[in-house]
Amino acid sequence: MNTLQPAALAKYIDHTLLAPDASREQIRTLCEEAREHGFYSVCLNSGQVPYAASCLADDSVVICAVVGFPLGAGLSDTKAFEAERAIAAGAGEIDMVLNIGWLKD
C-alpha cells in the first residue's frame, strides 16, 4: 500500500473560511496557515479576495472565491459579474454555487 506523505496531501487541501462575519484577522490567519502548511488554496467569499490577495502576494497559494454562496439561487449573469470581479481582485479559482431549483426543473 502506498502512503501519501502529509506534505504531498497538503497540496490537495482548500483551506476554507466562508463565515459571513469573518474578520481580517481571521483571513490573515487562514492565509498564514495555508502558506505554512503548503495548502493548495484558501477558499473565501468573494468580498474577502482583495485582502487575501494582499496577504498572499508572491506566494503559490491559490485564492478561490465562492460565487453565489450559499444558496446559488441568483441570476447567472449576476454570478458571472461576481466571478469577473473576484478574478480581477486576485482569485485564481472560482467555485460557483449551482441553482438547485433550475437543475431540478
Side-chain angles (χ1 to χ4, degrees), residues 6-50:
L9 177 61
K11 303 262 184 244
Y12 294 96
I13 294 176
D14 296 327
H15 199 27
T16 303
L17 178 57
L18 299 176
D21 61 345
S23 67
R24 283 185 162 225
E25 181 179 343
Q26 290 173 306
I27 298 301
R28 181 180 41 77
T29 298
L30 184 84
C31 292
E32 289 171 356
E33 291 170 351
R35 181 184 298 115
E36 176 186 344
H37 297 292
F39 294 148
Y40 171 72
S41 74
V42 293
C43 189
L44 309 158
N45 289 300
S46 60
Q48 299 287 3
V49 169

Side-chain angles (χ1 to χ4, degrees), residues 44-81:
L44 309 158
N45 289 300
S46 60
Q48 299 287 3
V49 169
Y51 182 65
S54 71
C55 292
L56 292 169
D58 301 320
D59 199 278
S60 63
V61 176
V62 174
I63 298 170
C64 175
V66 294
V67 172
F69 183 79
L71 301 176
L75 297 170
S76 297
D77 58 346
T78 304
K79 292 179 194 178
F81 178 78

